[in-house]
Amino acid sequence: MKADLAFKSSVISDITPTLLAIGREAFPQALIGALRRVGDVGHCMVFSFAGARSTACLLDVGNIPTGRDLGIAYAEHFHQSDPNRDAVFEGQARAVPIVLPTFARRMYSDSYRKLFFDDSDIVDKFASAIWVDDTCFYVNFYRVTAQGRFTREQIQRLTAVAPAVSAAVARHFQHEALPDNDPMGRLKSLFATAAPLAALTGREKEVCLGILSGLSSEAIAAELGIGLHSALTYRKRAYDKLGISSQNGLFGIALRLMASTRSLN
């Protein structure tokens, strides 16, 4: 019993800096730092499910150079073929964190394995999730080939902290946790969880956020590493989905949603 209490105390102390960083810009680095202390995690990605069809990548931090592209690919297409998806949605009725099944390559389709594991040098994965009302926060921890697979002890430690980590992630990304002096943070949260913005694809959200930041189409294209024609196409698709025809309409939606969420706090 004493040994078990000492173990839990040890792993919880490892994630204390993450809890203290909730709602702050330092949260991603505090999170990956804690996960490396707990289980030598190489990379962490957080996705949100707002309903069965709306998925967004909220966080991408660590040692995988293509993490951002993987996040977009997962949010736009591959979330539908994630073998953990059924377990995640089955847990919606429970108001407790979910620890997902142990990783096994055979669980994934050939195209999924090639993009997310072979091409990205990912050799192992651990995942947890938590539902807050109608939004799920899905937390994924990865290791690359140079690190090797998670050991049994590392899995045990990650399992012990998964509930607290999932709750911290959810709290960080909930709009009410974001400070009023961080409008861009509030906007990103709205794009992840609030209709109709949450229905946009990853690229459409990035282009809209660029517009709301005051960037020109050329600047948005350069920042995202895409062509100007692609940026304009994503903008048109986003406007069509939102039922607007100009950036004034986009600003109107954003301001209305920010005002409504502020009134709830």
Side-chain angles (χ1 to χ4, degrees):
M1 179 66 73
K2 289 184 178 180
D4 184 52
L5 289 175
F7 170 80
K8 290 182 179 180
S9 175
S10 172
V11 295
I12 292 299
S13 67
D14 283 334
I15 67 167
T16 298
T18 305
L19 305 180
L20 296 176
I22 290 173
R24 301 172 182 267
E25 291 184 5
F27 182 81
Q29 290 302 322
L31 176 63
I32 192 64
L35 295 174
R36 285 173 175 165
R37 289 191 295 274
V38 171
D40 196 22
V41 172
H43 200 93
C44 179
M45 299 184 76
V46 176
F47 299 95
S48 68
F49 296 116
R53 296 185 178 181
S54 179
T55 306
C57 181
L58 304 181
L59 184 144
D60 157 48
V61 61
N63 62 357
I64 300 175
T66 58
R68 181 181 181 185
D69 292 332
L70 293 179
I72 292 172
Y74 182 89
E76 293 188 351
H77 305 292
F78 284 91
H79 65 92
Q80 297 174 351
S81 56
D82 186 343
N84 282 335
R85 185 179 177 85
D86 287 345
V88 167
F89 278 88
E90 286 171 2
Q92 185 171 5
R94 295 179 292 162
V96 295
I98 311 159
V99 177
L100 283 305
T102 303
F103 168 78
R105 285 178 58 87
R106 65 179 179 276
M107 297 165 56
Y108 298 83
S109 66
D110 291 343
S111 58
Y112 200 114
R113 283 199 302 268
K114 183 178 187 306
L115 178 62
F116 286 89
F117 301 117
D118 298 338
D119 293 351
S120 303
D121 198 34
I122 295 172
V123 71
D124 208 353
K125 169 185 172 179
F126 180 88
S128 64
I130 188 171
W131 284 89
V132 180
D133 298 326
D134 293 329
T135 300
C136 177
F137 298 90
Y138 179 36
V139 190
N140 293 263
F141 316 130
Y142 305 97
R143 280 166 65 96
V144 297
T145 302
Q147 295 175 289
R149 299 199 62 176
F150 289 114
T151 65
R152 182 178 300 178
E153 180 183 356
Q154 288 166 343
I155 290 291
Q156 182 184 14
R157 290 172 63 85
L158 288 171
T159 301
V161 301
V165 168
S166 299
V169 165
R171 184 59 182 163
H172 176 73
F173 285 106
Q174 284 178 283
H175 57 76
E176 49 271 299
L178 293 169
D180 289 338
N181 62 358
D182 182 16
M184 185 51 63
R186 291 176 61 85
L187 279 174
K188 288 180 179 179
S189 179
L190 289 172
F191 270 89
T193 61
L197 301 178
L200 303 179
T201 67
R203 282 297 192 202
E204 290 164 359
K205 291 174 182 177
E206 289 184 320
V207 168
C208 286
L209 282 168
I211 294 170
L212 293 170
S213 299
L215 299 179
S216 66
S217 295
E218 291 81 1
I220 292 171
E223 183 172 293
L224 298 180
I226 59 178
L228 176 59
H229 178 74
S230 295
L232 294 174
T233 299
Y234 287 124
R235 184 185 69 184
K236 182 180 185 305
R237 290 176 182 172
Y239 283 6
D240 287 345
K241 290 180 180 179
L242 297 174
I244 58 177
S245 58
S246 69
Q247 68 178 25
N248 287 339
L250 179 62
F251 275 98
I253 291 173
L255 290 172
R256 185 177 70 253
L257 289 172
M258 290 183 75
S260 64
T261 56
R262 186 178 290 112
S263 68
L264 295 174
N265 291 339

